[in-house]
Amino acid sequence: MDTPKVFESEYRFCLILWEHEPVKSSELVRLCSAQLGWKPTTTYTVIKRLAERGVLKNENTIVTSLVSKDQVQAAELNEMVERTFEGSLPAFIAAFAKSRKLEKSEIDTLQQMIDHYRKEGS
Amino acid sequence: MSAVFLKIVNMSISAGWIVLAVLVLRFLLKKAPKWIRVLLWGIVAVRLICPFTIESVLSLIPSAETVSPEIMMDQTPQIHSGVSFINNTVNPVIESSFAPEGLVSVNPLQIWIPVFAILWLAGIAGMMIYTAVTYCCLKRRVRTAVLLRDNIFQSEQVVSPFVLGLIKPKIYLPFQIQATDMDLVIAHEQVHIKRLDHWWKPVGFLLLTLHWFNPLMWLGYVLLCRDIELACDEKVIEHLDINDRADYSQALLNCSVNRRMIAACPLAFGENSIKKRIKSVLNYKKPAFWIIVIAVAASIVTAVCFLTNPPGVNEELSVFIDMQIMEHNQGKYFPGQFTAVNHKILGTKRSKGNITVFLLARYQEYSFENGEIQQAGGSYIPTAITAKRTGKHGHYKLVEYWEPRDGSYYAEDIKAKFPWYLHAKALDMRYSKEQSAWCDNAAKEYFSDVTNVGGADKPVNITVKSDLEKLKEKFPMYFDLDTSNGLDVYIWQMAKDSYSCALLPGKTFNYTQDELWDLHKNAATIEEMRTIVASYNLSRSDVAVIPIQLPISSYAYTIDDRYRQLLTGLFWGDYGLALGQYHSDYCIDEATFDIDGDGKPEECTLSYGPTSGLFTIKLSVYETAGTGRLYEYFNIFNGPAGELSFIQTDDGMKLRLVPYHENIHVDYTFSIEDGNIVLISPDNIYVWEYWGEQGVNSPFSDVQIFKALEKNGYTSYSPTSYIVIDEYGTPVLAISHPSRSP
């Protein structure tokens, strides 16, 4: 069976779960608020999402995990989220803001500039 | 709502000028600290927010009111941008697209401007919805962000660090970030928070939503965001050594490589021209103190120059103008007990230390008797007053008090003196009602004060009677007449310079002898009758001037075409005719010659055309008396102004024109085509211009009139007069060529 994918923030949540399970969802809310800074609604949403994904199960408000720490670590999601943001600024504003990615050549040039600068100083 | 929109437009245009100035200053103050730039944008913001401002001669704003709030009411809408080049480019376009056609139709801007206002609101709504949506989406994305410490969070949803939140701002970082970078990034974002940048940017964006239609505002906002970032960078690296600065640049570079996310609200570290920022950081040198001083000074100067408005007409000048109008008119009229002066400024022009004010001047004298306020003498004239400021505080000296000449020179003079964009307002006496009302109120107030009226007659019911009301009381029978057939003005002469008038509904010919003779019982002067007729607002062709001879008058005169022309001109006050001059003046010239080559001579008369304003002349040709026919030809010419006469040349009879103020003369040849007289100029160009309907069947031709008279029972006529014969065959009435439309 494929280990379900877990985002980094969800991973931090799972760490709390593994440490305290089996745990009441309301207790989870308290723990997440203290350690992660999450609002209660956020915690419940994440519980629901992870339940759908098969990472945990929530029975009669008791939450237990379905996958282990080792399993998740192996399938760690490394990729950066690159979804286009709904409602990003229109293209011309983006153009003004010079939001385009730097070309490799430009990156190199700038890196050189920084290195040169460092040398000059020391 | 349109008024609010126009005010915003004017504020936007004023702010636009500042943006341009700030662009120049940014360039000049390159070496100054970057926070100066943000300060300059602050000045723009103040201009955009604050609808009020003070006036100062130091103001560099070309015009505080480019779009007049009354532009929708203007007959000739235009903008006053303060820059002639812009005015001259834009106004013709506006005129051709938006000027109302004719004097009756609605100014199209009355429809368009509200439409624009609605579009503007829609734009604002759109931008606000967009902002709200993006904000909510972003908040949602980072709700699973994990607390690092204090107010700093991390999330896999974050690609490039930013600050989010107005009251309790939170810093969001990506998970994948190097330790060295992290500290610097956090420092940067904390500077943003400390400087309240997380408020300034949204405020700037809010202003942008109000002024979304102005492209300069978008430019300003984008540059503002950039400058905020640069200023923030500067603050962070201020006290860092070279290595740390290199680290900072590295952090910028690292963060930029991965980022793609842009958001409307939050401040994003790593956004906005990374190259420029890195270069800025590497090249940073603490600016010398004196540079900061200069930059601050420049900002203050900018603020003064651009946050103030150019001066309009100040209080002192306004009072001075009133005084001048008063002095100029005093003594012209029979003195009243109270004088009111009111002026409405249309525009100003400054040159060589003088200021010329173009205005509409209302001068009115009032008297008070028997509890009633009467209007005495007064005037309402477009005036141009040129004044010079004297050294003494706030005092002015009169340089010129200009008024247009009377009669046909009136319009010419105004057009020559007043700037073209004020012509319409000056010529149609735009504000006459409100100015008269103001004066009447001033008189009411004055006479309400018992001390001003000597205490004897306590005013019970104060009304101000205008001329028209007085006439209504004097001649009630001449008001509210049926004008479905126009009006007939009967004029008779009592003595050499004494004329009397009566008024009847148009074309009422079925009156008895007694009724005719009774006309003299309600005799009005020409001036009185003119005012009465004017109140009907008919066009001139609907009003017939009919000279008659009443038995009560012993003064003998001949009623002929010439006389009728004379009286018509006299009644309308046209062509500067003065009493007593007309017998030789009004009919321009006449000659008897064969105009159409039929071998028989015709009587040809040259007289003024049926309108004034245009220089039209009428050429009537009729067979000599006795044949029973009236007109053979009748045509109207709209030609150049000048002196006209028939002249016999070797080439036959010609029409000579000597244009006014010139020493040349042009001789036109007569020709007949299709029953119309045609004038041919020496270079063989036809002069006849189609004006209304030409020819003997023209509504302006007397032929039509006589046909109508015939239908109504007049039994015989001759070319020079139309005589009514009673049942005994005795002529009882002579009407000479009344002119009217059928």
Side-chain angles (χ1 to χ4, degrees):
Chain A
M1 188 187 75
D2 275 337
T3 323
K5 292 211 166 89
V6 168
F7 290 115
E8 179 68 30
S9 52
E10 294 162 339
Y11 181 72
R12 306 279 180 102
F13 167 82
C14 291
L15 287 173
I16 298 176
L17 178 61
W18 287 317
E19 202 187 311
H20 292 92
E21 64 168 332
V23 60
K24 276 181 91 167
S25 51
S26 50
E27 174 68 11
L28 258 183
V29 164
R30 193 190 61 77
L31 287 164
C32 288
S33 175
Q35 296 181 31
L36 300 177
W38 284 7
K39 291 199 286 206
T41 46
T42 309
T43 311
Y44 283 120
T45 310
V46 169
I47 291 173
K48 187 167 166 220
R49 248 197 345 227
L50 291 179
E52 279 165 11
R53 241 184 276 163
V55 174
L56 53 80
K57 68 172 191 283
N58 183 7
E59 281 169 340
N60 299 326
T61 77
I62 303 289
V63 182
T64 45
S65 66
L66 294 173
V67 291
S68 76
K69 195 175 187 176
D70 307 318
Q71 283 173 300
V72 171
Q73 270 178 341
E76 192 183 313
L77 192 67
N78 261 332
E79 291 156 31
M80 305 301 287
V81 174
E82 285 261 342
R83 251 181 285 147
T84 41
F85 181 66
E86 307 89 23
S88 62
L89 284 173
F92 69 93
I93 285 293
F96 264 119
K98 288 233 172 92
S99 67
R100 60 180 179 82
K101 272 158 65 159
L102 293 173
E103 307 279 354
K104 176 99 181 29
S105 56
E106 287 170 314
I107 298 172
D108 292 337
T109 317
L110 288 169
Q111 188 64 62
Q112 277 174 26
M113 277 174 65
I114 297 173
D115 295 336
H116 183 73
Y117 182 77
R118 243 187 248 275
K119 283 208 192 88
E120 293 266 304
S122 47
Chain B
M1 197 242 317
S2 299
V4 170
F5 171 64
L6 286 179
K7 187 120 179 85
I8 296 270
V9 168
N10 278 323
M11 277 163 65
S12 208
I13 294 176
S14 303
W17 292 115
I18 313 181
V19 168
L20 292 174
V22 168
L23 288 177
V24 170
L25 271 175
R26 270 169 99 249
F27 179 74
L28 293 175
L29 294 173
K30 264 191 294 202
K31 293 238 170 86
K34 302 285 189 295
W35 57 263
I36 293 277
R37 299 187 184 187
V38 182
L39 188 66
L40 290 174
W41 293 122
I43 297 177
V44 178
V46 170
R47 186 88 215 194
L48 288 173
I49 296 175
C50 199
F52 311 109
T53 182
I54 52 175
E55 288 189 4
S56 156
V57 287
L58 298 168
S59 172
L60 287 176
I61 302 274
S63 165
E65 213 173 62
T66 304
V67 179
S68 154
E70 290 152 30
I71 196 170
M72 291 196 286
M73 310 304 168
D74 272 348
Q75 288 289 354
T76 50
Q78 63 243 334
I79 62 165
H80 310 301
S81 72
V83 178
S84 332
F85 175 70
I86 297 181
N87 281 346
N88 294 337
T89 322
V90 174
N91 281 331
V93 174
I94 295 181
E95 243 187 85
S96 53
S97 321
F98 290 117
E101 281 160 51
L103 291 169
V104 186
S105 67
V106 162
N107 182 340
L109 281 178
Q110 281 189 358
I111 303 169
W112 280 110
I113 287 192
V115 169
F116 290 148
I118 292 176
L119 283 175
W120 171 67
L121 288 177
I124 295 179
M127 282 180 81
M128 297 211 142
I129 292 174
Y130 167 77
T131 307
V133 164
T134 55
Y135 182 77
C136 289
C137 277
L138 197 55
K139 265 208 108 135
R140 227 176 126 208
R141 277 186 87 169
V142 297
R143 69 183 164 171
T144 59
V146 179
L147 180 66
L148 182 65
R149 61 167 193 272
D150 301 322
N151 64 337
I152 304 167
F153 290 77
Q154 279 176 297
S155 170
E156 74 276 355
Q157 306 282 343
V158 175
V159 177
S160 167
F162 57 86
V163 171
L164 191 61
L166 285 170
I167 322 267
K168 281 197 284 212
K170 300 189 177 115
I171 300 174
Y172 290 94
L173 306 172
F175 278 119
Q176 326 272 44
I177 184 169
Q178 298 175 25
T180 43
D181 290 355
M182 189 185 281
D183 290 330
L184 291 165
V185 166
I186 292 176
H188 174 100
E189 301 300 337
Q190 280 172 336
V191 167
H192 270 318
I193 294 178
K194 197 154 152 230
R195 283 185 163 179
L196 302 177
D197 288 342
H198 59 291
W199 286 358
W200 305 136
K201 241 176 119 166
V203 163
F205 192 73
L206 181 67
L207 289 174
L208 182 61
T209 59
L210 287 178
H211 296 262
W212 60 265
F213 50 86
N214 188 341
L216 284 173
M217 294 299 123
W218 288 93
L219 179 63
Y221 179 72
V222 167
L223 292 177
L224 169 73
C225 294
R226 256 195 235 178
D227 290 341
I228 286 182
E229 288 304 325
L230 291 168
C232 193
D233 287 338
E234 258 184 19
K235 185 82 189 162
V236 174
I237 65 170
E238 226 175 20
H239 304 295
L240 297 182
D241 63 20
I242 292 192
N243 262 320
D244 291 335
R245 289 187 195 175
D247 289 339
Y248 189 84
S249 317
Q250 191 70 53
L252 280 175
L253 190 58
N254 294 343
C255 281
S256 77
V257 173
N258 295 321
R259 65 183 252 311
R260 255 238 304 181
M261 188 168 77
I262 318 151
C265 300
L267 309 166
F269 179 96
E271 202 186 339
N272 287 321
S273 52
I274 298 301
K275 261 205 297 199
K276 205 171 155 93
R277 290 175 67 190
I278 292 178
K279 284 192 184 157
S280 240
V281 168
L282 296 178
N283 294 332
Y284 178 72
K285 273 188 268 284
K286 197 158 163 87
F289 180 72
W290 60 272
I291 292 188
I292 301 181
V293 169
I294 292 182
V296 170
S299 307
I300 295 177
V301 168
T302 311
V304 168
C305 290
F306 286 94
L307 288 181
T308 53
N309 277 340
V313 173
N314 63 33
E315 184 74 32
E316 293 143 347
L317 188 54
S318 200
V319 169
F320 177 76
I321 289 173
D322 276 339
M323 295 281 310
Q324 293 308 312
I325 298 173
M326 182 84 79
E327 274 181 38
H328 180 88
N329 284 294
Q330 254 167 10
K332 270 194 187 170
Y333 310 95
F334 192 83
Q337 292 156 275
F338 174 73
T339 307
V341 167
N342 179 275
H343 69 267
K344 193 82 179 179
I345 296 179
L346 299 178
T348 60
K349 194 169 75 162
R350 285 180 171 81
S351 76
K352 299 186 202 148
N354 291 342
I355 175 170
T356 304
V357 185
F358 301 98
L359 53 116
L360 290 164
R362 179 98 176 84
Y363 176 88
Q364 184 64 52
E365 294 184 13
Y366 298 86
S367 60
F368 182 77
E369 33 195 286
N370 301 326
E372 274 182 355
I373 303 178
Q374 309 272 1
Q375 280 188 346
S379 66
Y380 186 59
I381 304 184
T383 312
I385 295 179
T386 307
K388 192 190 192 83
R389 252 201 137 99
T390 64
K392 280 191 251 173
H393 171 68
H395 284 358
Y396 287 91
K397 203 175 68 152
L398 183 69
V399 173
E400 182 195 45
Y401 190 101
W402 179 95
E403 281 179 337
R405 291 173 287 180
D406 274 340
S408 51
Y409 296 112
Y410 179 82
E412 257 178 61
D413 283 356
I414 291 180
K415 286 188 181 168
K417 182 77 172 172
F418 276 51
W420 62 271
Y421 52 87
L422 297 178
H423 286 169
K425 282 190 184 167
L427 287 169
D428 71 15
M429 313 283 232
R430 188 66 57 93
Y431 303 107
S432 75
K433 268 205 189 126
E434 64 178 81
Q435 288 184 258
S436 298
W438 187 94
C439 291
D440 290 346
N441 268 324
K444 275 191 203 163
E445 272 182 42
Y446 178 79
F447 290 119
S448 299
D449 187 349
V450 178
T451 56
N452 288 328
V453 294
D457 293 314
K458 249 207 171 140
V460 174
N461 183 22
I462 301 180
T463 51
V464 181
K465 282 213 192 124
S466 65
D467 287 344
L468 200 59
E469 281 166 357
K470 280 188 264 177
L471 283 173
K472 264 194 192 163
E473 282 179 8
K474 195 169 169 191
F475 301 109
M477 70 293 299
Y478 292 148
F479 286 86
D480 301 316
L481 294 174
D482 173 24
T483 60
S484 50
N485 284 316
L487 286 174
D488 288 349
V489 177
Y490 289 87
I491 306 185
W492 62 96
Q493 205 169 352
M494 294 299 286
K496 185 166 181 287
D497 287 324
S498 164
Y499 296 83
S500 299
C501 311
L503 188 66
L504 286 172
K507 303 179 191 172
T508 48
F509 298 121
N510 297 329
Y511 35 67
T512 65
Q513 201 166 314
D514 284 330
E515 280 168 340
L516 264 183
W517 289 345
D518 280 346
L519 287 178
H520 81 275
K521 289 193 184 145
N522 295 304
T525 65
I526 287 194
E527 284 75 28
E528 286 174 330
M529 186 51 72
R530 195 187 305 144
T531 312
I532 295 172
V533 169
S535 76
Y536 281 92
N537 276 319
L538 295 173
S539 71
R540 285 210 189 174
S541 51
D542 290 329
V543 179
V545 170
I546 305 175
I548 54 174
Q549 192 136 30
L550 282 188
I552 55 144
S553 163
S554 53
Y555 188 71
Y557 48 93
T558 319
I559 297 179
D560 53 11
D561 193 50
R562 189 177 272 177
Y563 185 66
R564 186 184 59 80
Q565 291 281 7
L566 154 86
L567 246 50
T568 309
L570 190 65
F571 180 74
W572 292 115
D574 288 339
Y575 318 121
L577 291 174
L579 289 171
Q581 277 179 8
Y582 36 80
H583 265 287
S584 51
D585 280 358
Y586 78 97
C587 169
I588 302 173
D589 200 1
E590 57 179 19
T592 306
F593 63 100
D594 182 11
I595 194 171
D596 58 0
D598 64 356
K600 285 179 279 188
E602 290 90 10
E603 285 181 28
C604 305
T605 312
L606 201 60
S607 50
Y608 288 113
T611 68
S612 71
L614 289 180
F615 190 81
T616 57
I617 51 171
K618 191 163 73 179
L619 189 50
S620 331
V621 175
Y622 44 82
E623 300 283 356
T624 47
T627 63
R629 281 173 55 195
L630 291 172
Y631 286 102
E632 264 204 280
Y633 304 100
F634 172 94
N635 288 107
I636 299 170
F637 301 92
N638 179 1
E643 299 188 4
L644 291 150
S645 55
F646 289 108
I647 190 132
Q648 183 72 265
T649 68
D650 297 332
D651 241 355
M653 186 71 79
K654 293 209 196 280
L655 182 70
R656 173 161 292 183
L657 166 72
V658 180
Y660 289 139
H661 314 307
E662 290 188 41
N663 283 327
I664 58 156
H665 60 83
V666 183
D667 290 347
Y668 296 92
T669 314
F670 296 104
S671 180
I672 305 290
E673 272 176 38
D674 286 337
N676 288 308
I677 307 170
V678 181
L679 296 176
I680 307 178
S681 65
D683 40 10
N684 281 323
I685 298 173
Y686 290 139
V687 167
W688 169 35
E689 278 198 33
Y690 183 77
W691 185 90
E693 292 180 49
Q694 305 275 1
V696 288
N697 287 319
S698 152
F700 300 95
S701 153
D702 299 351
V703 171
Q704 294 301 319
I705 297 152
F706 285 97
K707 285 193 181 154
L709 282 173
E710 243 178 337
K711 256 204 317 203
N712 279 287
Y714 287 90
T715 57
S716 87
Y717 52 84
S718 81
T720 53
S721 60
Y722 204 84
I723 300 174
V724 176
I725 316 249
D726 69 7
E727 61 258 43
Y728 304 112
T730 313
V732 293
L733 180 66
I735 301 177
S736 182
H737 303 312
S739 107
R740 77 188 67 207
S741 46

